[in-house]
Amino acid sequence: MAKLRLEITKGEEIRYISHLDYASAMERAIIRAKLPVAYSEGFNPHMKISFASALAVGVTSQAEYIDIECKEEIDVNQAVEHLKASLPMGIRIKGAAYMQGNVPALMAIVNLATYEITVPLLAEDIGIIEDSIRWFNEAEAVLYTRESPKGKKEIEIKQYMAKPITLTALDKAVRLILEIQITPTGSIKPGEVLGALVAMFDLPVDIDNLLIHRTGLYISNANRQVSPVEL
Amino acid sequence: MITLDPAMLNRVIKPARYTGNEWNSIKKDHDTVSVTVALSLPDVYEVGMSNLGLKILYQILNNREDTAAERVYAPWVDMEAEMRERNIPLYTLESLKPVREFDIVGFSLQYEMSYSNVLNMLDLAGIPLFTAERDEHMPIIIGGGPCTFNAEPVADFFDCLVLGEGEEVMEDIIAAVSSWKKAGKINGRSGILKSLAQIGGVYVPSLYDVTYHENGMVAEVLPNCPEVPLVVTKRVVKDLNKVEYATRPIVPFLDIVHDRIMLELFRGCTRGCRFCQAGVLYRPVRERRPELLLKMAKEMVDSTGYNEISLTSLSSADYSCLPDLVDSLMGELKEQGVSVSLPSLRIDSFSIDLAQKVQQVRKSGLTFAPEAGSQRMRDVINKGVTQKNLEDAVSAAFQAGWSTVKLYFMMGLPTETDEDVLGIADLAYKVLDLYKEIKGRRGAKVTVSVSCFVPKPHTPFQWFGQDLANEFERKQQLLKARLRDRSITFNWHDARTSFLEGAFARGDRRLGQVLLKAWQNGARFDGWSEYFKYDVWMDAFKTCEIDPYFYATRHRDFDEVMPWDHLSSGASKQFLQREYEQAVTEELTCDCRREHCSACGVCPGLGVEVLDWGSRA
Ligand code: SF4
């Protein structure tokens, strides 16, 4: 058994596919590439692959990670070449490495995600924007109500914010940079942070037109911050 | 190219329906081709993408250097609202170009209930609805698929309709359009329509006039120009081993209805069920060679990454080399984790062996289609299945470990009595009893699905009056009362939907107005029960002063001129009439590929032959 870890993208071309669909697109690419992937035993064998963290519909990313369990170790460059030729538009390979030994699952180790949110402005004056962001950053706690089919739930957002939000003014739009912690007990989505900014801090943006891009996914502690392929 | 607003895509459900970029989709530069084609099935993406015919045409057309073929499906109601609000015209998934900029728009007409979507899509595209209103700058609107064999209700909206198999005829059409364009669109729109009308299998409705008798029946349908044939006859591919197949189908990102490799073993079915339109339209049986099928299957696994192959034909279990084919498919592809599935089973124990072979581990339910509950009724429809066949098949299934059985039936078949309807219940109980006998305990689950019979053109039952909706409902209640056992699930079809389908299936050109009115009043996605607006349709009939019962429930005489008599499947009217008469006397007709020819007229008339490899071995 050999565990191949890839750093891949979810590009503009496939922005609107769901995580599940993204995962099955990868599975089919792996079959087309004829990688010696391992399957689970049992009634309904499935491919042994796993992802670091799910991405919502409408979100792009330059830092997705997938572990592929292979029955044998083939040359990493060769594996990448085969896979490259089999990937749909929007999925590119940025890095690849075999993980040595008994590495823990991606899902369990990744604890920080960085995002860029680009959203059109509804106000001329950038000062108003800066104020809302500053109030958010300075707030002790921000309570956000998450609504899902399962019901409503209050979440305190600030506990997940690793750093204050920073912003860049673009032409008629603004770009926010977010660093969000992923904890064993949960996290917050970048779209939800923007939702709170608009609802509670009067951020004058056209939230319907937001574009979210994941820029990084890390394993981070007091001393260092590395991506899963740099382990 | 159209730009898609993130706000729009963020808001609609399943936005990936509208953004393309799927594996194996083909993007060509429109400046480098001479003809552009937008291929469509007028239903939502998941349904449209599952159509095999369009997959084949997509590949054949894109193989041509001079042609770019792209896809477009009906946007779901949420997306339609967003598009209308933003003035976004209907666009294709490959180039995101407006459909109205294409040379040809082809609609696959699979069911009558999608007609309102055709109008809606044309309107969304900004294309005039009526053929008479389009000039040479507008695309040529072509229809294909089974409904073209009586597309009279939509005749005013289509420039032409293609009868029969599209592989070869589409190439002829492209060649004609390409040379017409190169010649500077000579004689404008009527120029191209006339030359298309001369291609075999192509019907240009505007070149035919319909006259009616005072009693509302069709008097005659005659060409209004000398260049076109009196009768348009379907196209058939003589040898399926020699035409291109969809070996590189598009792999969608979304789960679609048939999300797997479709391996078409053969075309046609000669069992001769008398209600079955497909059985007539796709005659005769033409099988592909097993070696070729194996090669195609391997190519498709490699090109798609799918791990399931479905053997799709009208009655796949009838393929003459099936056991060997299944063995070699499983043998060669098991390594890659590929499984094989058989969508339709014949009602005999041989099929159970096969079913067992293909689903070695998981035992999902088995599906059988006895179609009718009593032996008498099954003889009327020429199902050729006996009570004993059924009992043996179900017993074999229970012995092999299955416990869930689905049974498909129709009600409202010609000559049906209440006794025949109740026979459905008897059969369901018989299945439960068999399980108990074999296993010594209860525990079988039976699902009984009953649809409402819709008489279709070009079948022996085309003269038959459909049951009234309330008669269907009465029979459904009758059956429901009899099926009170917790092990039996009873599903039935909405009788009103079937009534409308019945009116359109055997409708004439005058129904075009009704369709237009209903669409204007909001009809679309009529095949989706949550959007079906019966009252809108009935109002439309009333406004147009057209009687739907005249089309759906009226019995016809053999000498009546049918609205589709100028459209030929190759099967003769005499054959259909003979079959009708034999139905009434409960006489069976044999399978012409295995026994003797039943003289339907297709083979000699079209110069084709039955191709059955097993019989030649
Ligand atoms: S002509 Fe004869 S052999 Fe050919 S399809 Fe008809 S019945 Fe069958």
Side-chain angles (χ1 to χ4, degrees):
Chain A
M1 283 288 189
K3 193 183 261 183
L4 180 63
R5 180 166 293 174
L6 299 177
E7 180 176 47
I8 54 180
T9 64
K10 180 187 172 196
E12 201 53 56
E13 299 89 339
I14 51 168
R15 177 186 283 277
Y16 294 98
I17 74 173
S18 69
H19 176 68
L20 224 60
D21 294 335
Y22 179 76
S24 59
M26 265 322 282
E27 266 189 38
R28 285 166 187 166
I30 290 167
I31 297 179
R32 292 191 291 262
K34 300 204 155 108
L35 294 193
V37 61
Y39 284 87
S40 68
E41 303 288 324
F43 271 162
N44 192 8
H46 58 264
M47 200 179 266
K48 288 194 174 173
I49 59 174
S50 57
F51 288 82
S53 150
L55 215 51
V57 174
V59 181
T60 54
S61 169
Q62 64 194 51
E64 291 307 286
Y65 299 91
I66 174 175
D67 279 348
I68 306 169
E69 285 220 32
C70 296
K71 288 183 274 196
E72 59 194 275
E73 190 167 323
I74 55 165
D75 178 61
V76 82
N77 293 324
Q78 218 184 326
V80 167
E81 278 317 304
H82 286 167
L83 205 47
K84 264 186 182 164
S86 308
L87 288 171
M89 277 177 274
I91 307 184
R92 281 183 306 113
I93 304 181
K94 293 176 68 193
Y98 280 107
M99 293 290 112
Q100 303 307 331
N102 220 343
V103 284
L106 275 168
M107 199 71 116
I109 49 171
V110 162
N111 60 5
L112 183 77
T114 58
Y115 295 94
E116 271 177 15
I117 301 180
T118 310
V119 62
L121 282 175
L122 294 174
E124 298 274 295
D125 183 3
I126 192 76
I128 307 177
I129 318 287
E130 285 167 345
D131 285 346
S132 335
I133 301 291
R134 197 175 59 248
W135 292 330
F136 176 90
N137 284 338
E138 285 169 1
E140 282 282 315
V142 174
L143 283 178
Y144 175 82
T145 314
R146 174 179 289 167
E147 285 182 49
S148 74
K150 279 178 244 151
K152 289 184 181 184
K153 201 179 150 198
E154 284 263 284
I155 299 173
E156 201 287 291
I157 294 182
K158 290 297 295 275
Q159 61 175 318
Y160 298 118
M161 302 302 294
K163 281 215 180 113
I165 297 175
T166 59
L167 89 166
T168 327
L170 306 172
D171 182 33
K172 297 198 179 100
V174 67
R175 176 165 300 154
L176 308 179
I177 295 187
L178 274 58
E179 291 202 11
I180 296 176
Q181 279 165 353
I182 303 166
T183 76
T185 52
S187 186
I188 186 91
K189 289 183 187 159
E192 294 174 321
V193 177
L194 192 71
L197 277 164
V198 170
M200 288 174 252
F201 297 87
D202 300 327
L203 186 72
V205 293
D206 174 12
I207 189 164
D208 285 346
N209 270 302
L210 92 167
L211 291 174
I212 303 173
H213 180 61
R214 177 140 82 194
T215 51
L217 208 49
Y218 303 98
I219 300 142
S220 152
N221 59 36
N223 312 321
R224 68 186 199 131
Q225 178 169 321
V226 292
S227 87
V229 282
E230 293 166 331
L231 265 190
Chain B
M1 194 176 142
I2 284 165
T3 31
L4 303 173
D5 213 339
M8 169 169 85
L9 295 170
N10 282 334
R11 237 191 320 253
V12 298
I13 57 159
K14 302 195 185 175
R17 285 168 171 169
Y18 312 111
T19 53
N21 292 316
E22 305 94 331
W23 179 255
N24 283 341
S25 63
I26 295 167
K27 297 187 187 190
K28 290 189 182 179
D29 178 355
H30 288 201
D31 293 336
T32 65
V33 297
S34 37
V35 182
T36 53
V37 188
L39 294 174
S40 176
L41 188 138
D43 206 319
V44 72
Y45 179 91
E46 293 91 316
V47 176
M49 280 286 286
S50 299
N51 181 266
L52 181 59
L54 287 181
K55 288 178 205 276
I56 296 173
L57 289 183
Y58 187 82
Q59 183 157 325
I60 288 186
L61 296 178
N62 278 318
N63 275 353
R64 292 177 66 110
E65 272 199 28
D66 66 348
T67 306
E70 308 193 355
R71 297 159 299 146
V72 57
Y73 304 110
W76 191 242
V77 282
D78 58 347
M79 182 65 171
E80 183 198 334
E82 298 281 341
M83 288 169 72
R84 288 197 186 272
E85 190 181 318
R86 287 156 218 264
N87 283 318
I88 293 180
L90 192 71
Y91 61 89
T92 57
L93 293 171
E94 279 76 4
S95 61
L96 301 190
K97 283 223 167 75
V99 164
R100 69 163 175 267
E101 289 173 15
F102 281 71
D103 296 316
I104 295 174
V105 181
F107 284 101
S108 171
L109 303 174
Q110 296 289 321
Y111 21 80
E112 290 81 4
M113 305 307 274
S114 71
Y115 289 169
S116 57
N117 276 7
V118 172
L119 298 200
N120 201 40
M121 289 176 76
L122 289 173
D123 179 69
L124 257 177
I127 297 170
L129 298 186
F130 288 94
T131 173
E133 291 167 359
R134 295 178 202 130
D135 63 18
E136 65 269 25
H137 304 295
M138 279 296 159
I140 298 160
I141 311 299
I142 302 183
C147 290
T148 61
F149 284 89
N150 178 30
E152 287 301 289
V154 289
D156 291 340
F157 309 105
F158 279 86
D159 298 317
C160 69
L161 297 151
V162 173
L163 308 191
E165 290 156 354
E167 281 97 340
E168 293 162 347
V169 67
M170 270 316 279
E171 302 235 26
D172 300 344
I173 289 174
I174 298 292
V177 171
S178 169
S179 52
W180 173 67
K181 276 182 78 182
K182 280 193 188 119
K185 300 200 172 175
I186 204 149
N187 293 330
R189 202 154 182 98
S190 71
I192 183 64
L193 292 186
K194 274 195 185 146
S195 59
L196 290 175
Q198 281 156 51
I199 298 173
V202 177
Y203 168 47
V204 178
S206 58
L207 301 181
Y208 295 77
D209 290 332
V210 188
T211 49
Y212 303 93
H213 290 301
E214 228 156 79
N215 62 9
M217 292 180 200
V218 171
E220 45 185 12
V221 182
L222 283 177
N224 56 30
C225 76
E227 296 96 326
V228 302
L230 280 172
V231 171
V232 180
T233 304
K234 80 173 179 194
R235 289 287 285 259
V236 273
V237 170
K238 282 190 188 161
D239 187 350
L240 286 180
N241 298 289
K242 292 194 180 124
V243 286
E244 180 87 13
Y245 187 66
T247 47
R248 298 183 305 279
I250 293 173
V251 183
F253 289 114
L254 295 173
D255 241 346
I256 61 172
V257 178
H258 299 294
D259 205 10
R260 56 190 76 92
I261 290 170
M262 293 198 228
L263 188 64
E264 188 192 29
L265 311 182
F266 60 92
R267 269 187 213 158
C269 172
T270 41
R271 298 217 149 223
C273 295
R274 291 174 180 134
F275 57 83
C276 179
Q277 191 190 37
V280 178
L281 301 188
Y282 298 106
R283 269 174 187 240
V285 160
R286 286 145 297 145
E287 294 190 335
R288 284 200 167 90
R289 286 187 175 279
E291 315 84 73
L292 177 67
L293 289 167
L294 185 62
K295 180 170 157 273
M296 287 182 349
K298 286 200 242 171
E299 267 177 60
M300 286 190 278
V301 171
D302 287 350
S303 73
T304 62
Y306 274 124
N307 59 7
E308 188 185 344
I309 298 178
S310 164
L311 307 181
T312 29
S313 300
L314 281 177
S315 131
S316 297
D318 278 330
Y319 182 58
S320 64
C321 314
L322 190 61
D324 288 345
L325 178 72
V326 169
D327 280 341
S328 53
L329 283 174
M330 302 219 333
E332 300 227 16
L333 296 166
K334 210 178 202 158
E335 252 318 85
Q336 286 164 268
V338 178
S339 66
V340 179
S341 65
L342 269 167
S344 60
L345 283 182
R346 210 158 61 192
I347 303 179
D348 58 21
S349 28
F350 156 84
S351 299
I352 302 297
D353 288 347
L354 259 173
Q356 216 179 347
K357 196 183 261 177
V358 299
Q359 359 191 345
Q360 273 156 339
V361 267
R362 271 206 307 171
K363 288 218 154 58
S364 53
L366 283 184
T367 303
F368 297 108
E371 318 283 9
S374 67
Q375 190 58 48
R376 190 194 74 79
M377 200 74 246
R378 284 193 296 272
D379 290 346
V380 167
I381 62 176
N382 201 41
K383 188 69 206 170
V385 167
T386 64
Q387 177 86 10
K388 179 150 189 328
N389 292 148
L390 261 166
E391 289 177 13
D392 288 351
V394 173
S395 306
F398 290 155
Q399 253 139 18
W402 271 278
S403 58
T404 315
V405 177
K406 244 193 204 171
L407 300 172
Y408 281 108
F409 299 94
M410 275 180 283
M411 57 167 59
L413 287 161
T415 77
E416 183 181 69
T417 62
D418 285 359
E419 206 178 312
D420 298 312
V421 175
L422 291 170
I424 295 175
D426 296 345
L427 207 57
Y429 283 109
K430 181 80 208 167
V431 171
L432 290 182
D433 290 346
L434 280 172
Y435 189 86
K436 210 171 155 210
E437 256 168 56
I438 290 165
K439 295 280 172 176
R441 60 183 157 85
R442 287 179 59 97
K445 290 241 166 302
V446 179
T447 303
V448 173
S449 284
V450 183
S451 61
C452 303
F453 171 61
V454 178
K456 292 279 168 115
H458 304 278
T459 67
F461 291 158
Q462 64 176 359
W463 291 280
F464 179 78
Q466 191 184 4
D467 267 359
L468 290 164
N470 54 18
E471 175 66 358
F472 277 127
E473 280 157 7
R474 186 189 67 81
K475 289 177 180 172
Q476 286 165 347
Q477 288 313 316
L478 190 70
L479 194 51
K480 198 174 157 206
R482 194 60 82 84
L483 286 173
R484 288 188 194 279
D485 187 298
R486 275 195 292 142
S487 316
I488 301 176
T489 312
F490 177 39
N491 301 324
W492 63 91
H493 275 205
D494 176 27
R496 298 184 309 175
T497 308
S498 303
F499 171 63
L500 187 67
E501 188 187 331
F504 272 84
R506 290 185 294 169
D508 58 39
R509 270 193 208 187
R510 291 171 295 191
L511 289 190
Q513 310 160 46
V514 178
L515 175 59
L516 179 70
K517 195 90 236 127
W519 167 72
Q520 283 167 339
N521 292 331
R524 67 212 56 181
F525 285 110
D526 296 301
W528 295 73
S529 52
E530 67 265 45
Y531 287 101
F532 178 55
K533 297 180 179 142
Y534 182 70
D535 297 340
V536 164
W537 280 102
M538 291 308 115
D539 284 348
F541 275 107
K542 207 178 269 160
T543 319
C544 301
E545 293 176 18
I546 287 177
D547 175 14
Y549 296 92
F550 175 80
Y551 298 99
T553 59
R554 181 173 59 90
H555 281 278
R556 277 87 164 156
D557 287 331
F558 288 132
D559 56 13
E560 179 174 342
V561 175
M562 297 293 196
W564 54 89
D565 276 350
H566 58 302
L567 306 173
S568 169
S569 68
S572 69
K573 223 173 173 177
Q574 291 86 322
F575 167 74
L576 298 179
Q577 184 175 336
R578 210 158 58 230
E579 283 299 298
Y580 183 102
E581 284 158 351
Q582 298 216 39
V584 177
T585 52
E586 299 161 28
E587 277 168 87
L588 298 181
T589 302
C590 68
D591 182 340
C592 68
R593 76 198 279 199
R594 298 277 154 71
E595 290 166 51
H596 57 79
C597 169
S598 32
C600 75
V602 172
C603 295
L606 305 185
V608 269
E609 263 180 73
V610 169
L611 276 184
D612 181 310
W613 302 111
S615 66
R616 301 186 171 203

